[in-house]
Amino acid sequence: MSMSRHEASTGEQSRMLSRENKVTITSGLSPSYLQANLIILPSRYASDFRRFCQRNPVPSPLLAESSQRGSPFGWKSYIQGIPDSAVAANCDIRTDVPRYVVYRDGVPIHESQDLLEEWTDDHIAFLLGCSMSFESALTRAGLEPRHTTLDINNPMYITNIPTNPAGVFTGGTYIVSMRPYRRSELDRVRKTTRPYVLTHGEPIAWGWDGMARLGITDIDQPNWGDPPRARWGGKFSEAQGLTGEDDDIPVFWGCGVTPQQAVITAKVPGIILAHAPGHMLVLDVKEDDVLEKD
Amino acid sequence: MSMSRHEASTGEQSRMLSRENKVTITSGLSPSYLQANLIILPSRYASDFRRFCQRNPVPSPLLAESSQRGSPFGWKSYIQGIPDSAVAANCDIRTDVPRYVVYRDGVPIHESQDLLEEWTDDHIAFLLGCSMSFESALTRAGLEPRHTTLDINNPMYITNIPTNPAGVFTGGTYIVSMRPYRRSELDRVRKTTRPYVLTHGEPIAWGWDGMARLGITDIDQPNWGDPPRARWGGKFSEAQGLTGEDDDIPVFWGCGVTPQQAVITAKVPGIILAHAPGHMLVLDVKEDDVLEKD
């Protein structure tokens, strides 16, 4: 197959490109298809992890898990109205994400383009909603995210907001993604993303006071993704291709990298596998399938 | 009826005592029956409030709401396996809680023993899980809460942990309840309360470092309830009737007073009604009905 990044229009096409290692970050891939965060755990942690998601649905909205322990094929769906077979057909979770992180005893030890070596018959994979999945909706509302416009990766930050502990998953904090918007756009941004409850929903904080409450000290130094390009009080100029009269403020959403942070802070023993931030599994489910009506 | 506090064995009996203003705090009333937090909102906030609960299930687990707008009778159940009619029979939400707080524009203006004046045909009542509801389980496990032993009210504290915003409900923080335990008891305390997902589940923080992260500075000055009686590093003596070798540490759970704090911080306009902390609605549902199996 010689399909290029911008020719992938379905979730399955994007998974094939990932399997063949023809893509890196998935932002903008197969627009309107749901993208998912991934974490793969030894089965003894599965019960605690489901509770972790139940207790932290904003950063960790559970979409699906492996059809059975040890099988890299097939999904059990937690999305209302989506049968198991409609999550991601012909998917091999060991290969269909562009880049993975391998953790041993809570420490990231290496990154990999597949998990053919690391996957065992005791692993269970979990898929979590991703905020990239409401970006089509933002774009339709005239609120295209800056990183989409500029074709860069979304910045992500570690916060000091504790997640609710569940079993072994103690001591974690929220990870957030950030998109810059004008203050005058905030109400529409909140309203547009609010119904996407399975992909983090509305923002959890905004503005410089909101950033301070999250414990983020330098907006220009994200922990993952590309540094933001924004009109922070005139700091960035029109020379960078950004024009407009109003300053931007940072707007923060829960991020599905949060469970990885929980694994790190709790030093969870064993081999745990996850997607590399920004490198998602693209599903067959469409964004509108998870839109919750008021 | 001349039944006294300690003769109330069913939820309905406790509601009758509350209706006749024969009880104050409900701690220890009708053991094994679920106790519920209450908040009553103008209907225009109902959708945002359901989202608030969905996004903050640990402090605000939604159990039921009014059968219809403006009706003080009857419930719509959100508890799996519990039909609407089994939530609280013959209940009048305007009278069946021992003490209420009335808020105008986010400010508490007075307390009352009933809401016969304040209830309107535009109000909707919401019931939320309460951590008093796992106290029987703790007692059965040999971990009777101190405030139960001493027949005092559970201490509650305002924290600096932000709730996830939903619509008008922005700027709120977690309220927590606290029970002192020995560090050696912590694992059993966590495990015993974990399955009670609809009544706050396992603790969200513990120990002095956990207290600091919540932003609580003085454990002996709760925002509601009675000051704790505990062996804080020998501070309290055996003369107070507490014996034992090990020191206690504070253990904190999410608390259903949290939505009231959200109303206050967001200065939500209009007349909002709620239970006074510690003065709960006792339901017909039993604690074991909401126990979630692993």
Side-chain angles (χ1 to χ4, degrees):
Chain A
M1 183 163 27
S2 62
M3 188 169 53
S4 78
R5 172 179 177 83
H6 292 288
E7 286 169 309
S9 60
T10 68
E12 185 159 8
Q13 285 171 342
S14 280
R15 291 197 298 279
M16 289 308 120
L17 286 177
S18 299
R19 187 178 294 184
E20 295 169 4
N21 301 317
K22 288 182 176 164
V23 285
T24 56
I25 63 165
T26 52
S27 176
L29 233 59
S30 304
S32 87
Y33 282 84
L34 218 57
Q35 303 209 1
N37 297 275
L38 169 70
I39 191 155
I40 300 172
L41 301 164
S43 64
R44 64 187 177 280
Y45 303 130
S47 164
D48 284 348
F49 187 71
R50 290 182 203 108
R51 283 264 157 73
F52 181 84
C53 295
Q54 189 178 34
R55 284 165 66 83
N56 298 285
V58 171
S60 300
L62 189 55
L63 300 178
E65 68 173 76
S66 297
S67 59
Q68 52 182 316
R69 179 167 72 108
S71 169
F73 312 108
W75 298 103
K76 185 189 301 177
S77 171
Y78 291 116
I79 310 170
Q80 211 176 2
I82 299 292
D84 295 348
S85 60
V87 173
N90 307 312
C91 175
D92 183 339
I93 197 56
R94 301 170 302 178
T95 55
D96 290 2
V97 163
R99 182 165 275 275
Y100 300 87
V101 185
V102 178
Y103 293 87
R104 183 193 293 143
D105 303 340
V107 178
I109 51 172
H110 67 89
E111 297 206 353
S112 173
Q113 288 189 319
D114 66 61
L115 299 175
L116 295 169
E117 298 272 318
E118 293 83 358
W119 178 272
T120 72
D121 62 6
D122 184 47
H123 274 117
I124 298 178
F126 295 90
L127 301 180
L128 307 162
C130 169
S131 60
M132 286 185 195
S133 305
F134 52 55
E135 295 187 343
S136 302
L138 284 169
T139 300
R140 279 196 304 275
L143 298 162
E144 183 174 77
R146 192 72 43 82
H147 69 100
T148 308
T149 313
L150 300 174
D151 206 10
I152 57 178
N153 197 1
N154 209 8
M156 290 161 264
Y157 305 82
I158 299 173
T159 76
N160 62 11
I161 307 299
T163 48
N164 295 301
V168 298
F169 300 101
T170 62
T173 60
Y174 275 56
I175 307 298
V176 293
S177 66
M178 192 283 292
R179 293 162 188 77
Y181 281 103
R182 297 181 194 174
R183 193 170 283 278
S184 60
E185 294 170 322
L186 181 63
D187 282 352
R188 286 196 301 132
V189 167
R190 292 185 67 203
K191 192 172 173 188
T192 302
T193 54
R194 186 167 297 146
Y196 289 91
V197 293
L198 282 179
T199 68
H200 308 301
E202 68 171 276
I204 64 164
W206 47 84
W208 302 108
D209 52 338
M211 182 180 95
R213 271 196 299 274
L214 297 178
I216 298 171
T217 51
D218 187 348
I219 197 70
D220 294 322
Q221 296 200 13
N223 298 92
W224 298 277
D226 291 312
R229 302 260 308 273
R231 294 173 290 260
W232 302 140
K235 192 167 158 186
F236 288 82
S237 69
E238 294 189 10
Q240 283 181 293
L242 299 167
T243 58
E245 292 177 15
D246 298 335
D247 287 343
D248 288 320
I249 56 169
V251 182
F252 301 95
W253 278 263
C255 174
V257 177
T258 300
Q260 295 189 41
Q261 185 68 5
V263 163
I264 292 170
T265 52
K267 298 186 177 62
V268 180
I271 296 292
I272 291 175
L273 314 165
H275 73 290
H279 301 69
M280 322 305 290
L281 183 72
V282 188
L283 306 185
D284 295 342
V285 184
K286 304 291 286 281
E287 292 180 18
D288 283 352
D289 294 336
V290 300
L291 186 69
E292 189 169 280
K293 302 295 182 298
D294 261 325
Chain B
M1 182 166 24
S2 62
M3 187 171 52
S4 79
R5 171 180 178 80
H6 290 288
E7 287 168 309
S9 61
T10 68
E12 185 159 8
Q13 285 170 342
S14 280
R15 292 198 297 280
M16 290 306 120
L17 286 176
S18 299
R19 188 179 295 185
E20 296 167 2
N21 301 318
K22 288 180 174 163
V23 286
T24 56
I25 64 164
T26 52
S27 177
L29 233 59
S30 305
S32 87
Y33 283 84
L34 218 57
Q35 302 209 3
N37 297 275
L38 170 69
I39 190 156
I40 300 173
L41 300 164
S43 63
R44 63 186 176 281
Y45 303 129
S47 164
D48 284 348
F49 187 70
R50 289 181 204 109
R51 283 264 157 72
F52 181 83
C53 295
Q54 189 178 35
R55 283 164 67 84
N56 298 284
V58 171
S60 301
L62 189 54
L63 300 178
E65 68 173 75
S66 297
S67 58
Q68 51 181 315
R69 180 167 72 108
S71 169
F73 312 109
W75 297 103
K76 186 190 300 179
S77 171
Y78 290 116
I79 310 170
Q80 212 177 0
I82 299 293
D84 295 347
S85 60
V87 173
N90 307 313
C91 176
D92 183 338
I93 196 58
R94 300 169 303 177
T95 56
D96 290 3
V97 163
R99 183 166 274 277
Y100 299 87
V101 184
V102 178
Y103 293 87
R104 184 192 293 142
D105 302 340
V107 178
I109 51 172
H110 67 89
E111 297 206 354
S112 173
Q113 288 188 323
D114 66 59
L115 298 176
L116 295 169
E117 299 271 317
E118 292 82 0
W119 178 273
T120 71
D121 62 6
D122 184 48
H123 274 117
I124 297 177
F126 295 90
L127 300 180
L128 308 162
C130 169
S131 60
M132 288 185 193
S133 307
F134 51 56
E135 295 187 343
S136 303
L138 284 168
T139 301
R140 278 196 305 275
L143 298 162
E144 183 174 75
R146 192 73 43 82
H147 69 101
T148 308
T149 313
L150 300 174
D151 205 11
I152 57 178
N153 197 3
N154 210 8
M156 291 162 264
Y157 306 81
I158 299 172
T159 76
N160 63 10
I161 307 300
T163 48
N164 294 303
V168 298
F169 300 101
T170 61
T173 60
Y174 276 56
I175 307 298
V176 292
S177 66
M178 192 283 291
R179 292 162 188 77
Y181 281 101
R182 297 182 195 173
R183 192 170 284 279
S184 60
E185 295 171 322
L186 181 63
D187 281 352
R188 286 196 300 132
V189 167
R190 292 185 66 202
K191 193 173 172 188
T192 301
T193 56
R194 186 168 297 148
Y196 290 91
V197 292
L198 282 180
T199 68
H200 308 302
E202 69 170 276
I204 64 164
W206 47 83
W208 303 108
D209 52 338
M211 183 180 94
R213 270 195 299 275
L214 298 179
I216 297 170
T217 51
D218 188 348
I219 197 71
D220 294 323
Q221 296 200 13
N223 298 90
W224 297 277
D226 292 312
R229 302 260 309 273
R231 295 174 289 263
W232 302 142
K235 192 166 159 187
F236 289 82
S237 70
E238 294 189 10
Q240 284 181 294
L242 299 168
T243 57
E245 291 177 15
D246 297 337
D247 288 342
D248 287 320
I249 55 168
V251 182
F252 300 95
W253 278 264
C255 174
V257 177
T258 300
Q260 295 189 40
Q261 186 68 3
V263 163
I264 292 170
T265 51
K267 299 185 176 63
V268 180
I271 297 293
I272 291 175
L273 313 164
H275 73 288
H279 302 68
M280 321 305 289
L281 183 73
V282 188
L283 307 185
D284 295 342
V285 184
K286 305 290 287 282
E287 292 180 18
D288 282 352
D289 294 336
V290 300
L291 186 69
E292 189 169 282
K293 303 294 182 296
D294 261 325

